[in-house]
Amino acid sequence: MLVLLGRTVSLSLAHRVITYSPPSLSRSVLVSSVIIKLRAKTTVSVSAASRNRGSMPERRPFVRLPTDVYPVNYGLSLKPDLIDFTFEGKLEALVEVTQATNQIVMNCADIDIITASFAPQGGEEINATGFNYQNEDEKVTLSFPSALQKGSGTLKIDFVGELNDKMKGFYRSKYTNPAGEVRYAAVTQFEATDARRAFPCWDEPAIKATFDITLVVPKDRVALSNMNAIDRKPCPDDENLVEVKFATTPIMSTYLVAFVIGEYDYVESQSSDGVMVRVYTPVGKAEQGKFALEVAAKTLPFYKDYFNVPYPLPKIDLIAIADFAAGAMENWGLVTYRETALLIDPKNSCSSTKQWVALVVGHELAHQWFGNLVTMEWWTHLWLNEGFASWIEYLCVDHCFPEYDIWTQFVSADYTRALDLDALDSSHPIEVNVGHPSEVDEIFDAISYSKGASVIRMLHNYIGDEDFRKGMNAYLLKFQHKNASTEDLWDCLEQASGKPIAAVMDSWTKQMGFPIIAIDQEQQGDDRILKISQKKFCASGPHNGEDCPTWMVPISICTSEDPKCTKLRVLLDRPETTVTLDGVSPDQWIKINPGTVGFYRIQYSSPMLESLLPGIRDLTLPPVDRLGLQNDLFSLSRAGMISTVEVLKLMEAFVLEPNYTVWSDLSCNLGVLSSLLSHTDFHEEIQEFIRELFAPVGLKLGWDSKPGEGHLDALLRGLVLGKLGKAGHKPTLEEAQRRFKDHVEGKHILPADLRSPVYLTVLKHGDSTTLDTMLKLHKQADMQEEKNRIERVLGAISAPDLIQKVLTFALSEEVRPQDTVSVIGGVAGSSKQGRKAAWKFIKDNWEELYNRYQGGFLIARLIKLTVDGFAVDKMATEVKSFFESHPAPAAERTVQQCCENILLNAAWLKRDADDIHQYLLRRKAPPV
């Protein structure tokens, strides 16, 4: 599943995030969040032991299903009512009784069982005499008057349920048909634990079975499931309905089952290895499925070659769903997507959305092997599914679109966001023991996805591509159609590479956090002696307690002689070591972690850092290393290890920077700083700094694309103009207002890549007329991408009464439920007033918001976007006490992380605000 893990970005132009609506290219990804009970007293300093472990939430009592009865095949028939929003179901499951029992325990939630019976093979049918629902544990116990004997039998259950509006289980999704009528589709989202809302089942990933699915649907609707339809016939008791029967699935987990009933058009093609690929779109928009179709048709053969295992089903469908909580879901053979993660209109889609669609398609199709064919044994190993797919999606996009320079973007989108989150005391290890369904929801966060992807990237680099592929192939063949754990993958990779994979990787997956690597050097003749040490890095400063954890750290070292070539590799397996580099003359610089692949921060000695800085100005350092250096220093300044002024001086060296992703990362960090300084009376001075830094590249790029420009130029232009416009750069503001007027009047429609920056700029400096115009554009927009683009920037408006109007709009019928979060988040991220107003709005409307998103990661995302930017100690107390009296189980850890971030922001402000102010004033002062 691709969850949208938003990172608050300086521009409301954020896209990835990841999940990730098109999350932000500035920094992406995906969010739910994992839980933790707030400590009674939230302080920034924490005991050494808890720092290493992560404070885990209180565990809810939980027991996995008993193993005395298990399913072999589910015969499932469902009949949804698209008017009354209910469904009827019939289950005939072939089961195996492994030891005599007079009860069967299954998962079941929000379903009423009408009748249940069990017939042993060749024996009499026995009716169940009682159904005991354990609602808290989402289980039902069927009781029988006599013991069910060991052997095969058929379990029959008739049941009814609700097509809910919570975007989970079997739910309804609202859409408008081309004639303007409001209609509903019936769709599914089962990961992690919601198949039990559609039919009683053994809803655990290791209890695999085959499925024979029949859907009884209106005859004018499309009906889809994991497999191809093998029969479609009129329903005997209603001529308006048809029964659609699908082929038997391979053995699979319940969370990957899917069905969709609605009105759709499609485009299709066949991949070079003979798989039928279709992209289903809203009616009348088939053209918008062509880009995703092209990506999918290239991707399937790529993965088949990479894994050396063929795609195991006859077809794959990709379908756009109107109301969809995540970014996408990898149901086997029927992948569901948000419209904005699948549909591309050549005239109205911007470059970042195209890139997002390519990544999401790559992510979900990777799961068809890694997750679906071989499935994690339990949710503790979820990270393996998601971390792996979040890594290989980039490999796939790099193969399909080399011009995207996507691996550099990975560092900004996934790697740095994971480092930021994992430096918190309230982080958690990659592998988390989870039990209760509400705990499972919480691990769909940036640690599972982005840190998972980052350590797999580090592992791939450590092993080498050839041995990595060999190990992956062995793993998939050994465990296909079965379940596996993290250790199983390490075994296969260890055998393929002969390296101590388990020993190295356990230090990265079983303990939270990561090291900061400190480097010092000494020249001896023609040799450079390096002293390398590691310590746990914490967002509040270096770990100084006893009992400091260590990691097995693969370290690469290069020199200015060849910055792209590794001169020496060492595995740092102790707190410190010394290494010698031969033949390095005194005038050469040394760089650790070329390619920014190792998952750690670096602190160079002052002379070593000084020697690297010219490589930023003259671009001899590769882009990914320029980015990594700046990002490390920014992170050290937040942790109080260096002054923020040092980072501002470094940022000035980037004035001639040509690379989009480097600018994107700078922009993100300046956005964080700008948000921090909104709590001071010199916020305008940092805006001036931003204007001066971005103006030369803005001038060079201009407003209109030039012949020969590509994807990255378009992304850079949008980023820079939006940054300048938001910071109040006068020429940019005037041009944006002129172009906006032409756009609204229909004289000259804005190219898609300029819409976000222009909308943002005119709103930031606009009035009630501007807002009304923007809301009118929103209403007229036919494409969800355009609606989302407007929704994400509405919060930039400045007047208090208009901020309230935007917040009210967020909960209106005009905004799809999954998008409300980005409207409120946009308000909170735009200004100090917006942050206060958004927090008050959440408190005032908590009941409605919580009811809308109760489980799931959207509530966690909403909380994070709203409160993460506060920088006053007392706000941490206020947030903590609000959620103590208004509990949100799926966001407990998010609340704790937010409180920690608020305290870190407050400490940062106290420590550095005066120095920053003085520095900004000195820059303005005329030279004496």
Side-chain angles (χ1 to χ4, degrees):
M1 181 158 64
L2 196 79
V3 183
L4 302 181
L5 300 167
R7 170 168 176 132
T8 325
V9 191
S10 46
L11 274 179
S12 308
L13 289 178
H15 293 295
R16 185 151 141 96
V17 227
I18 244 213
T19 130
Y20 10 58
S21 31
S24 158
L25 296 175
S26 303
R27 288 224 173 135
S28 80
V29 186
L30 306 208
V31 188
S32 12
S33 242
V34 187
I35 307 194
I36 294 199
K37 282 275 183 222
L38 282 160
R39 294 186 286 276
K41 178 162 174 263
T42 312
T43 55
V44 181
S45 62
V46 183
S47 78
S50 74
R51 267 186 162 166
N52 189 19
R53 197 178 56 239
S55 338
M56 290 308 294
E58 288 171 17
R59 300 302 303 271
R60 294 166 181 73
F62 174 78
V63 181
R64 279 167 72 166
L65 293 171
T67 53
D68 49 7
V69 181
Y70 70 86
V72 176
N73 169 270
Y74 291 85
L76 180 64
S77 172
L78 288 166
K79 180 181 174 184
D81 182 328
L82 298 173
I83 307 224
D84 292 338
F85 306 135
T86 57
F87 62 89
E88 294 169 23
K90 285 183 188 302
L91 175 67
E92 279 197 28
L94 178 61
V95 302
E96 197 65 38
V97 180
T98 58
Q99 60 187 61
T101 176
N102 62 356
Q103 58 182 36
I104 295 178
V105 183
M106 306 169 72
N107 291 115
C108 179
D110 304 334
I111 278 175
D112 288 322
I113 293 175
I114 297 161
T115 61
S117 68
F118 179 81
Q121 205 169 4
E124 291 287 306
E125 189 167 2
I126 311 165
N127 287 315
T129 47
F131 319 129
N132 177 20
Y133 298 92
Q134 295 105 57
N135 292 338
E136 178 65 21
D137 288 337
E138 303 182 344
K139 290 175 184 168
V140 65
T141 302
L142 309 178
S143 303
F144 293 89
S146 57
L148 315 179
Q149 297 305 315
K150 198 171 163 183
S152 302
T154 303
L155 175 68
K156 292 185 180 179
I157 302 179
D158 286 4
F159 57 95
V160 291
E162 180 200 6
L163 282 177
N164 70 68
D165 59 354
K166 304 281 186 274
M167 296 187 285
K168 61 182 185 179
F170 196 12
Y171 72 92
R172 60 187 190 261
S173 169
K174 184 175 168 184
Y175 64 96
T176 308
N177 71 5
E181 302 164 329
V182 170
R183 292 203 175 162
Y184 290 85
V187 303
T188 56
Q189 169 60 41
F190 290 164
E191 190 177 23
T193 55
D194 292 316
R196 62 194 66 174
R197 290 172 205 285
F199 56 101
C201 55
W202 287 262
D203 200 8
E204 295 183 359
I207 308 181
K208 289 188 167 186
T210 57
F211 291 80
D212 284 289
I213 291 170
T214 300
L215 298 175
V216 181
V217 303
K219 64 181 181 189
D220 61 345
R221 301 294 151 103
V222 172
L224 300 170
S225 187
N226 304 80
M227 297 297 287
N228 46 306
I230 50 173
D231 190 26
R232 185 183 175 101
K233 61 183 182 203
C235 194
D237 45 4
D238 187 338
E239 61 179 20
N240 292 314
L241 298 178
V242 289
E243 279 182 16
V244 185
K245 187 169 169 31
F246 297 90
T248 307
T249 69
I251 187 167
M252 63 188 283
S253 303
T254 46
Y255 80 87
L256 294 166
V257 172
F259 12 93
V260 175
I261 299 103
E263 298 175 282
Y264 299 94
D265 285 345
Y266 67 84
V267 285
E268 69 179 5
S269 87
Q270 217 167 20
S271 71
S272 58
D273 41 359
V275 179
M276 174 58 73
V277 186
R278 284 183 174 177
V279 175
Y280 283 85
T281 71
V283 172
K285 296 187 176 179
E287 289 291 303
Q288 294 179 19
K290 283 188 168 170
F291 177 73
L293 182 69
E294 179 193 324
V295 176
K298 277 186 189 171
T299 297
L300 285 171
F302 171 74
Y303 286 145
K304 180 193 163 189
D305 291 346
Y306 194 85
F307 297 132
N308 201 13
V309 174
Y311 173 73
L313 305 189
K315 63 93 175 174
I316 189 159
D317 298 326
L318 292 71
I319 185 165
I321 305 293
D323 294 326
F324 198 76
M329 175 63 211
E330 69 268 18
N331 317 297
W332 217 358
L334 176 58
V335 185
T336 46
Y337 294 79
R338 277 191 184 203
E339 289 186 5
T340 48
L342 191 68
L343 304 180
I344 291 294
D345 172 353
K347 280 200 180 67
N348 292 298
S349 289
C350 59
S351 303
S352 57
T353 303
K354 273 184 86 165
Q355 178 176 301
W356 173 234
V357 168
L359 283 167
V360 182
V361 169
H363 181 100
E364 303 309 334
L365 296 194
H367 277 311
Q368 307 300 306
W369 284 262
F370 210 94
N372 301 9
L373 181 64
V374 178
T375 310
M376 70 237 147
E377 195 280 328
W378 184 247
W379 299 107
T380 299
H381 306 283
L382 170 82
W383 85 273
L384 205 52
N385 252 14
E386 295 304 347
F388 185 84
S390 300
W391 168 75
I392 206 167
E393 67 184 67
Y394 283 87
L395 197 71
C396 166
V397 168
D398 193 45
H399 164 78
C400 296
F401 303 99
E403 69 277 15
Y404 285 7
D405 182 29
I406 203 76
W407 279 116
T408 305
Q409 295 193 52
F410 174 89
V411 173
S412 180
D414 283 88
Y415 170 94
T416 56
R417 64 170 284 112
L419 287 169
D420 287 347
L421 182 57
D422 205 29
L424 298 177
D425 293 334
S426 50
S427 182
H428 64 89
I430 280 181
E431 284 191 53
V432 186
N433 285 320
V434 287
H436 195 276
S438 65
E439 294 171 352
V440 177
D441 264 347
E442 302 162 333
I443 54 171
F444 286 85
D445 73 341
I447 297 293
S448 292
Y449 285 75
S450 298
K451 182 180 180 183
S454 299
V455 299
I456 286 171
R457 175 170 168 257
M458 176 168 73
L459 173 68
H460 174 265
N461 183 264
Y462 172 61
I463 294 178
D465 190 60
E466 192 181 330
D467 286 346
F468 186 85
R469 289 172 72 164
K470 213 187 296 174
M472 289 303 311
N473 172 252
Y475 171 79
L476 288 169
L477 289 178
K478 183 173 179 182
F479 294 101
Q480 60 185 329
H481 302 299
K482 299 192 189 86
N483 296 78
S485 67
T486 304
E487 287 69 28
D488 295 319
L489 179 60
W490 296 165
D491 288 347
C492 292
L493 290 170
E494 203 155 293
Q495 284 172 20
S497 67
K499 291 184 172 174
I501 305 304
V504 171
M505 294 307 289
D506 279 357
S507 69
W508 297 97
T509 64
K510 293 191 188 308
Q511 62 183 5
M512 67 179 239
F514 58 88
I516 177 165
I517 305 292
I519 307 280
D520 206 349
Q521 66 178 10
E522 191 187 318
Q523 187 77 25
Q524 288 185 359
D526 273 348
D527 297 342
R528 192 77 58 92
I529 317 294
L530 298 182
K531 186 182 172 200
I532 305 175
S533 63
Q534 62 164 305
K535 220 177 215 181
K536 183 178 190 310
F537 179 75
C538 301
S540 54
H543 179 103
N544 289 320
E546 301 295 305
D547 180 31
C548 186
T550 56
W551 285 260
M552 301 265 277
V553 193
I555 289 183
S556 306
I557 304 165
C558 70
T559 69
S560 48
E561 193 174 42
D562 189 349
K564 288 186 176 165
C565 182
T566 296
K567 192 170 173 76
L568 182 68
R569 290 178 195 272
V570 289
L571 185 63
L572 179 64
D573 57 1
R574 62 199 68 171
E576 56 183 61
T577 191
T578 303
V579 298
T580 302
L581 286 179
D582 306 329
V584 179
S585 58
D587 59 338
Q588 287 185 39
W589 49 250
I590 299 278
K591 169 86 178 64
I592 308 297
N593 202 16
T596 315
V597 175
F599 193 74
Y600 46 82
R601 295 279 185 202
I602 303 172
Q603 187 171 27
Y604 291 99
S605 64
S606 293
M608 288 185 82
L609 184 61
E610 286 295 320
S611 69
L612 284 168
L613 297 184
I616 289 176
R617 288 182 196 276
D618 64 19
L619 310 179
T620 49
L621 268 177
V624 71
D625 292 314
R626 303 196 292 272
L627 186 162
L629 201 60
Q630 175 268 134
N631 197 284
D632 274 349
L633 290 173
F634 187 76
S635 181
L636 296 185
S637 72
R638 188 179 188 229
M641 295 168 71
I642 61 170
S643 164
T644 308
V645 170
E646 296 306 310
V647 184
L648 289 170
K649 288 178 183 168
L650 172 76
M651 286 177 169
E652 295 188 69
F654 284 89
V655 70
L656 299 174
E657 175 60 53
N659 185 279
Y660 159 70
T661 313
V662 177
W663 275 114
S664 167
D665 200 74
L666 265 171
S667 166
C668 248
N669 290 337
L670 278 166
V672 169
L673 207 52
S674 172
S675 171
L676 184 76
L677 298 178
S678 67
H679 300 274
T680 69
D681 55 5
F682 59 91
H683 190 233
E684 174 48 36
E685 275 82 351
I686 192 73
Q687 303 314 305
E688 190 174 331
F689 180 88
I690 290 169
R691 293 194 294 266
E692 286 181 17
L693 184 59
F694 279 78
V697 66
L699 196 63
K700 185 175 162 219
L701 283 165
W703 279 81
D704 300 303
S705 57
K706 305 174 184 69
E709 280 188 347
H711 175 78
L712 293 164
D713 300 296
L715 293 181
L716 181 57
R717 178 174 288 108
L719 175 83
V720 170
L721 293 175
K723 198 73 178 172
L724 285 167
K726 191 177 181 193
H729 182 249
K730 207 153 177 265
T732 304
L733 171 59
E734 287 166 359
E735 184 63 9
Q737 288 168 331
R738 187 185 70 75
R739 288 181 181 238
F740 182 67
K741 186 168 179 285
D742 285 355
H743 176 71
V744 173
E745 290 170 0
K747 285 185 195 160
H748 191 80
I749 298 302
L750 279 166
D753 282 314
L754 289 181
R755 287 182 205 170
S756 276
V758 166
Y759 294 169
L760 174 73
T761 302
V762 298
L763 274 164
K764 179 76 184 166
H765 309 279
D767 54 17
S768 61
T769 313
T770 322
L771 181 60
D772 289 343
T773 306
M774 204 60 90
L775 292 174
K776 196 168 144 197
L777 284 180
H778 181 276
K779 202 172 180 64
Q780 290 165 353
D782 177 44
M783 222 190 153
Q784 196 55 32
E785 179 188 333
E786 177 73 358
K787 285 187 188 291
N788 284 172
R789 200 177 352 252
I790 294 167
E791 287 159 4
R792 281 198 303 271
V793 297
L794 287 174
I797 201 86
S798 302
D801 58 322
L802 300 180
I803 288 174
Q804 281 314 125
K805 187 172 176 177
V806 171
L807 289 167
T808 308
F809 173 76
L811 273 180
S812 71
E813 285 286 308
E814 297 289 316
V815 178
R816 286 191 181 162
Q818 71 264 27
D819 299 321
T820 297
V821 173
S822 50
V823 181
I824 299 173
V827 171
S830 285
S831 63
K832 188 179 173 182
Q833 295 77 3
R835 197 174 300 117
K836 282 183 181 161
W839 172 232
K840 183 175 186 310
F841 184 78
I842 280 194
K843 289 185 294 183
D844 293 347
N845 295 277
W846 178 250
E847 203 170 321
E848 182 178 347
L849 288 162
Y850 185 69
N851 184 42
R852 183 185 281 204
Y853 303 121
Q854 35 199 320
F857 45 85
L858 282 174
I859 197 80
R861 177 161 162 67
L862 178 66
I863 293 166
K864 182 172 174 58
L865 288 173
T866 309
V867 304
D868 228 21
F870 285 115
V872 185
D873 287 355
K874 72 172 198 294
M875 279 311 301
T877 315
E878 184 182 316
V879 169
K880 175 174 176 281
S881 65
F882 178 80
F883 288 109
E884 277 170 355
S885 55
H886 301 80
E892 287 179 46
R893 194 191 298 268
T894 297
V895 170
Q896 183 162 345
Q897 289 166 347
C898 290
C899 290
E900 187 178 342
N901 271 325
I902 293 169
L903 294 173
L904 288 164
N905 288 341
W908 189 10
L909 204 54
K910 281 186 201 123
R911 195 174 57 236
D912 277 4
D914 287 348
D915 289 351
I916 295 170
H917 192 190
Q918 291 310 312
Y919 173 70
L920 294 173
L921 289 176
R922 278 200 306 276
R923 282 182 81 255
K924 274 167 57 173
V928 179

